[in-house]
Amino acid sequence: MPRLVLTVIGDDRAGLVNALADVVTAHDGNWEDSQLAELAGKFAGIVVVGVPAERVDELTAALNELDGLLEVTTHPGAEVDAVPDDTSPDSSPDSASQRLTLDLLGNDSPGIVREVSSVLSRHELSIETMTTGTREAPMAGGLLFEAHVVVRVPAKSDTGALRADLEKLASELLVDIAVA
């Protein structure tokens, strides 16, 4: 079954997810995965839907009719096989990898995401999920920046060198980075 990756954005208000879900369901689509959030008064997200091949164009056209409520962009995603092939040693991107979780907390300053993502990129790591935010610093005033990042680490990676680079970065940025 074909999968579509939908990016959505609109002014935040009640009923946006319902409107999107109604269109997906009306076209025999299956809501498979999503990451949705309110950010700075906007509702934004990414949704993966499975849809019968003969309904893809119809669903895409109907999603475009949500303009004014939500702007939806559709992108083709990977199709799902009915029966996974487990005979190949590399049958999934995760077959020879592990996941590491990074939690960062420190005073907010420009460039933190760039610096952390630069270290991850140098180690050829893929970010699976990343959640960031700011909050008021208790007692001290100002803003704290926090991030929760899950990365996929190939088996060939030197996790010791990665941890050393992240510790060095934490010291330079004056933030705490916990790796689990």
Side-chain angles (χ1 to χ4, degrees), residues 52-76:
E54 64 274 7
R55 306 283 317 259
V56 169
D57 292 338
E58 196 178 312
L59 173 60
T60 300
L63 290 168
N64 288 333
E65 292 175 17
L66 288 173
D67 199 20
L69 184 64
L70 279 173
E71 294 175 34
V72 181
T73 305
T74 60
H75 309 272

Side-chain angles (χ1 to χ4, degrees), residues 16-36:
L16 295 178
V17 172
N18 186 58
L20 185 61
D22 280 348
V23 172
V24 169
T25 302
H27 294 87
D28 300 323
N30 180 38
W31 188 298
E32 296 179 6
D33 198 9
S34 62
Q35 302 250 340
L36 306 166

Side-chain angles (χ1 to χ4, degrees), residues 26-176:
H27 294 87
D28 300 323
N30 180 38
W31 188 298
E32 296 179 6
D33 198 9
S34 62
Q35 302 250 340
L36 306 166
E38 182 276 326
L39 300 167
K42 295 290 185 181
F43 174 78
I46 300 173
V47 180
V48 177
V49 298
V51 62
E54 64 274 7
R55 306 283 317 259
V56 169
D57 292 338
E58 196 178 312
L59 173 60
T60 300
L63 290 168
N64 288 333
E65 292 175 17
L66 288 173
D67 199 20
L69 184 64
L70 279 173
E71 294 175 34
V72 181
T73 305
T74 60
H75 309 272
E79 291 190 26
V80 177
D81 294 328
V83 179
D85 176 13
D86 293 331
T87 59
S88 166
D90 295 321
S91 61
S92 78
D94 300 326
S95 62
S97 64
Q98 63 177 328
R99 285 181 178 74
L100 286 180
T101 301
L102 312 175
D103 287 303
L104 180 144
L105 180 64
N107 289 326
D108 187 32
S109 64
I112 293 174
V113 172
R114 182 193 69 229
E115 295 297 332
V116 171
S117 62
S118 177
V119 169
L120 299 175
S121 178
R122 278 196 311 272
H123 287 271
E124 298 181 4
L125 304 183
S126 178
I127 296 173
E128 290 191 347
T129 63
M130 181 169 75
T131 306
T132 66
T134 57
R135 60 183 161 105
E136 291 294 323
M139 312 276 272
L143 288 177
L144 291 176
F145 178 81
E146 55 190 338
H148 178 79
V149 184
V150 177
V151 295
R152 188 173 43 244
V153 181
K156 65 180 170 86
S157 294
D158 182 351
T159 56
L162 169 64
R163 288 176 189 270
D165 284 353
L166 288 170
E167 287 173 11
K168 179 181 177 198
L169 179 64
S171 176
E172 291 171 359
L173 295 176
L174 302 174
V175 298
D176 292 325

